[in-house]
Amino acid sequence: MSDIFRTRLAKEFDDRVARYHTSTVEDLRMFEEDIDGTMAHDIMLHEQGILEQEDLALILGALQEIKEEWKAGKLTIGAEYEDIHPFIEARVIEKIGIEVGGKLHAGRSRNDQVMVDMKMVSKKELLAIAENVLALIKTLGELADKHTETPMVAYTHGQQAQITTYGHYLCAYIDQYMRDYKRIKQCYDRVNYNPLGSAAIAGTNFRINRLRTAELLGFDNIQTNSMDAVSSRDWAIEINSVLSILMANMSRMAADMVMWAGAEFQYIRLSDEYSSSSSIMPQKINPSTLELIRGKTAEVYGGLQEALTMVKGLPTGYYQDLQQTKITLWRVFDTTRTSVEVLNGAIATLTVNEDKMLEQTKGSFIYAVQLAEVLAEETLSFREAYKVTAGVVNNLVADGRTMEELTAEDVQKVAKELFDKDIKVSSSIADKVSNPIKALNNLRSPGSPHPAETAMAVENRMELRERYWKEFDFLKIKLVIAADNLKNAIARYTA
Ligand code: ARG
């Protein structure tokens, strides 16, 4: 019996329409959550005096059997079902009859049912991604700690800008991923409201206890307004948003790494397990895994766009349009979760070539800011010092010399020419400003690549990560406790 509610309709769905209309394929991902949701709802109905204990026991028994059949791979659900909800209800009715099985759905609708299912799946997925993000942060912290004194060129406009370190670069991403974690956690907190018991849109006559189903299903509270609960999808849009931002951060990092793996840089070498080769060019070692992180970011952005478009102009209430939300949401979860995992693995296993990073700093003018700042400490204003330094750089470039070869006279000459000033310049000026380690140690601003500053940042972020981990673990424990509560209640009522 596939149909339990086409009672007003004389004919079955046209075959093509049925296939077009069904959401059973994407619903499979929430099969167990759907059963748990029904069990919690019916336990609550019994506790509220709406469902007899014997009836509840029969319903719970049938649902447990169906769950086992599902886990054993014994169930196939075709397009003759609109979605998994009537499939499960029909199967219960098949097992225990409509007189008892027909009581299972009292006081709810598929509209709140699908919301609670989706939210339960989403919560697990958000936690899995949060866990991966915290693992990625740890990997980055360990690597950054080793490279607080690894000089590297920092770029603006694709041009060599200032001296930095590889550790400082990694810390920049640690901070971004910390914010990503926090966004996921805050998003989780907003998803964590129970929509079940809202019924189709405007509640039910049954005196239900929505807090009780919230408790049994691991929600912090109820999503109070029944219209809000079935109609809104801002929570799904928010998930798509926070995951899009996470992907954006990873995509950008992947772009750096793809570039740095190239022969022009050779800063890093991905491990073989993360590299591919070419079918024609025998020399190739391609960082294609990271290119895919970039590529798959587009897919996640697509999910956000789709979710936003889904609700634009959609009148308030439940509309079938909303059924489509799942398809992209599941894909966004899978793509994001695996992308974080892969990026973490790629970083944990890569080889860093510090010599190449250092080599790139040689003969570069990345110390120009620091030269100007040293000059501005004495008699010149910053703008005068800037102009003197620019003149010095011009002269060095014209002579084919580098900043490492800079002399005090080079500087004094330009200061005299431009401002008619005789300035004092240390004879060790070249070493003072263009020795990478000294230049790094001269940086005094908070958040700069000064090695001690970076070391402190790593330590501080790793401590914060520990706190985030505990917070995350607590969320996981709360779900385990809820699952336990549900299990115990089922055991009590089926005994
Ligand atoms: N399959 C639907 C969805 O995924 C849920 C059921 C709502 N359908 C309905 N006719 N009210 O959104």
Side-chain angles (χ1 to χ4, degrees):
M1 178 183 60
S2 69
D3 172 52
I4 48 174
F5 49 66
R6 286 181 72 83
T7 321
R8 278 207 71 202
L9 304 165
K11 289 184 182 170
E12 288 295 310
F13 255 147
D14 170 89
D15 272 357
R16 267 173 315 180
V17 176
R19 283 196 299 277
Y20 185 77
H21 199 289
T22 188
S23 66
T24 46
V25 175
E26 57 267 25
D27 286 352
L28 295 183
R29 186 148 176 168
M30 38 188 222
F31 195 96
E32 289 182 40
E33 284 77 8
D34 193 74
I35 290 187
D36 288 348
T38 303
M39 286 176 156
H41 180 72
D42 290 350
I43 286 168
M44 177 277 292
L45 288 183
H46 165 65
E47 290 172 351
Q48 294 295 106
I50 300 164
L51 186 65
E52 296 294 325
Q53 158 109 45
E54 308 87 80
D55 294 348
L56 175 66
L58 284 171
I59 291 170
L60 291 178
L63 286 168
Q64 270 175 318
E65 273 176 38
I66 295 168
K67 208 184 207 184
E68 291 314 313
E69 289 162 4
W70 162 252
K71 284 192 195 161
K74 288 188 194 149
L75 300 180
T76 45
I77 311 161
E80 65 274 24
Y81 294 95
E82 276 186 35
D83 39 44
I84 50 161
H85 322 297
F87 170 83
I88 292 170
E89 185 177 340
R91 202 148 176 90
V92 170
I93 290 174
E94 204 176 278
K95 285 178 188 289
I96 59 174
I98 196 165
E99 234 175 291
V100 176
K103 294 180 178 176
L104 155 165
H105 199 61
R108 70 167 188 187
S109 147
R110 280 184 294 164
N111 296 352
D112 55 341
Q113 192 179 353
V114 71
M115 277 301 88
V116 79
D117 293 359
M118 281 181 76
K119 284 190 161 197
M120 280 194 281
V121 173
S122 297
K123 282 170 61 183
K124 283 180 200 158
E125 293 292 345
L126 284 174
L127 287 186
I129 294 170
E131 184 165 9
N132 286 353
V133 171
L134 291 174
L136 171 65
I137 291 171
K138 184 157 184 242
T139 301
L140 290 172
E142 283 161 8
L143 192 59
D145 206 36
K146 290 189 202 136
H147 292 286
T148 56
E149 292 193 331
T150 304
M152 192 178 86
V153 174
Y155 291 80
T156 64
H157 308 275
Q159 308 295 312
Q160 302 196 336
Q162 282 189 277
I163 183 89
T164 186
T165 65
Y166 186 45
H168 185 244
Y169 166 85
L170 293 169
C171 274
Y173 276 94
I174 290 177
D175 283 0
Q176 292 172 67
Y177 297 132
M178 294 289 245
R179 290 194 292 273
D180 282 314
Y181 165 81
K182 211 65 202 169
R183 268 189 288 270
I184 294 170
K185 159 74 170 74
Q186 288 164 349
C187 173
Y188 182 97
D189 291 342
R190 268 187 289 277
V191 173
N192 204 5
Y193 290 83
N194 179 25
L196 191 61
S198 299
I201 185 166
T204 164
N205 278 0
F206 290 110
R207 200 182 294 281
I208 60 172
N209 180 350
R210 298 185 57 201
L211 263 175
R212 176 63 174 146
T213 52
E215 184 193 5
L216 288 170
L217 297 173
F219 286 93
D220 273 355
N221 211 329
I222 62 168
Q223 191 170 356
T224 313
N225 184 292
S226 63
M227 189 177 288
D228 170 44
V230 300
S231 179
S232 68
R233 292 296 183 277
D234 59 339
W235 64 273
I237 296 170
E238 186 177 353
I239 292 174
N240 280 296
S241 307
V242 302
L243 299 184
S244 287
I245 297 172
L246 168 60
M247 288 300 295
N249 288 337
M250 292 198 294
S251 178
R252 222 168 158 186
M253 189 180 209
D256 290 332
M257 292 168 74
V258 168
M259 189 167 64
W260 292 347
E264 286 75 8
F265 282 92
Q266 297 176 51
Y267 282 6
I268 56 169
R269 161 97 198 253
L270 289 195
S271 79
D272 289 354
E273 294 116 297
Y274 287 84
S275 307
S276 66
S277 196
S278 157
S279 65
I280 178 171
M281 297 169 282
Q283 84 281 13
K284 290 301 284 295
I285 298 176
N286 293 329
S288 48
T289 315
L290 299 175
E291 295 158 45
L292 278 172
I293 291 179
R294 219 165 44 186
K296 287 175 192 245
T297 298
E299 185 185 308
V300 175
Y301 289 4
L304 172 59
Q305 191 59 42
E306 198 172 318
L308 282 167
T309 311
M310 201 71 75
V311 295
K312 184 193 174 296
L314 189 72
T316 306
Y318 177 86
Y319 288 87
Q320 205 71 41
D321 314 40
L322 297 170
Q323 173 166 288
Q324 296 296 109
T325 323
K326 268 174 262 150
I327 303 171
T328 45
L329 195 58
W330 298 166
R331 222 168 69 145
V332 161
F333 281 137
D334 288 340
T335 301
T336 309
R337 192 189 58 252
T338 49
S339 296
V340 188
E341 228 166 44
V342 163
L343 181 63
N344 184 13
I347 293 172
T349 55
L350 60 76
T351 318
V352 180
N353 192 337
E354 293 97 334
D355 295 342
K356 285 285 175 193
M357 290 183 180
L358 183 64
E359 202 181 299
Q360 199 78 272
T361 68
K362 302 288 180 209
S364 164
F365 290 93
I366 46 175
Y367 305 107
V369 172
Q370 283 174 286
L371 173 58
E373 287 179 349
V374 167
L375 299 179
E377 277 167 13
E378 310 273 324
T379 41
L380 302 180
S381 72
F382 175 75
R383 190 54 64 207
E384 287 172 320
Y386 172 98
K387 286 180 176 287
V388 170
T389 305
V392 168
V393 171
N394 268 339
N395 293 341
L396 289 175
V397 171
D399 298 349
R401 291 158 64 214
T402 69
M403 276 191 88
E404 287 88 350
E405 298 163 289
L406 180 73
T407 64
E409 293 72 50
D410 288 327
V411 182
Q412 284 161 332
K413 195 175 124 226
V414 180
K416 186 75 185 165
E417 276 166 20
L418 290 183
F419 300 109
D420 195 26
K421 286 190 176 171
D422 296 302
I423 59 167
K424 271 207 334 255
V425 179
S426 148
S427 59
S428 60
I429 186 73
D431 186 54
K432 191 169 176 191
V433 298
S434 58
N435 171 311
I437 295 297
K438 284 185 187 159
L440 286 166
N441 279 304
N442 279 336
L443 293 163
R444 277 177 290 232
S445 56
S448 77
H450 187 298
E453 184 75 31
T454 307
M456 213 172 67
V458 174
E459 196 185 315
N460 170 291
R461 300 309 187 272
M462 292 305 104
E463 268 171 38
L464 188 58
R465 196 202 79 99
E466 284 299 314
R467 260 185 282 150
Y468 285 177
W469 180 268
K470 283 188 191 126
E471 171 188 88
F472 153 83
D473 209 37
F474 183 62
L475 296 179
K476 257 175 73 170
I477 289 168
K478 284 214 284 198
L479 289 188
V480 173
I481 292 171
D484 239 42
N485 277 339
L486 181 61
K487 219 172 90 189
N488 291 338
I490 295 166
R492 186 160 68 242
Y493 295 124
T494 46

